[in-house]
Amino acid sequence: KTPVAGIGVQLHFNFQFFLIVWALAIGVAWLFLALSVDDALLILGTRRAKTARQNCILVAWGFETQMRLMWTKIDFVVAAYLLTFLACLAFGVRQLRIFQKVDMQNSTHKDYAARVRNLPLLDGTEPVEEELKKRLEEATGQKVVGVSVCWDFQEHEDELLELIESKLVEKEEKMGSATVQADAPEPESFFARMERSMLAAEAERVVVKGEMTS
């Protein structure tokens, strides 16, 4: 009952537990249906024939049995679909209520943050963060720790990532020349080389973004 790892982890484990329990419930329901209607539902498609004659007999028996018990499969699938849909709705509502309860009982980062929308178009060459921080402090009378601006750079994403990557390489070269490497770098493992060779262009961009934010 104590969220030691945060509400996100708690809800994720609830989801995993729900999947396991619901899968077991579906399996137990099918077993109960097969035992109560006809246990042939449990062995259809699993028998093997040793001879051609036995194979003909098995195919004929399987076809007749499958047609005779088709209603059970259809009814079970329809019932499982409807119950799964309703259970997912109920589970989603429960997850939302848990999140709201934990959020009301605990102080998180978002309780000390505010989102400002509909700002005018601003040029990145100006100190936007400092200006917004000053204006917010004047308007609210509260001390603002910092301001983070979400920039729209989709049209120049490739150029920006290339610039950041070049800056990182330049900084690494400067740091490498300033420090003496005592030990030789470890050779890249086989799995690392294989993973790097399998990365597509889009995945390389993701790697660059991860290095940018780390």
Side-chain angles (χ1 to χ4, degrees), residues 153-188:
F153 63 95
Q154 292 183 355
E155 296 181 358
H156 308 282
E157 181 178 3
D158 295 334
E159 293 83 355
L160 180 61
L161 292 178
E162 291 178 1
L163 177 61
I164 293 175
E165 185 176 8
S166 63
K167 292 294 183 181
L168 290 174
V169 172
E170 181 180 352
K171 183 177 293 186
E172 289 177 356
E173 291 177 352
K174 290 182 179 180
M175 294 177 61
S177 60
T179 58
V180 179
Q181 297 291 339
D183 300 328
E186 295 184 2
E188 194 174 24

Side-chain angles (χ1 to χ4, degrees), residues 136-157:
L136 289 173
E137 288 179 342
E138 293 176 354
T140 61
Q142 302 292 329
K143 178 177 176 56
V144 178
V145 177
V147 175
S148 179
V149 178
C150 296
W151 295 99
D152 183 10
F153 63 95
Q154 292 183 355
E155 296 181 358
H156 308 282
E157 181 178 3

Side-chain angles (χ1 to χ4, degrees), residues 108-125:
T108 59
H109 289 83
K110 70 184 187 67
D111 294 323
Y112 300 93
R115 178 186 296 179
V116 181
R117 300 182 179 181
N118 300 324
L119 291 174
L121 295 178
L122 302 172
D123 192 353
T125 58

Side-chain angles (χ1 to χ4, degrees), residues 63-77:
F63 178 78
E64 187 276 332
T65 305
Q66 185 177 18
M67 294 298 101
R68 178 171 55 86
L69 299 176
M70 184 62 68
W71 65 271
T72 57
K73 296 182 179 180
I74 296 176
D75 291 348
F76 181 81
V77 170

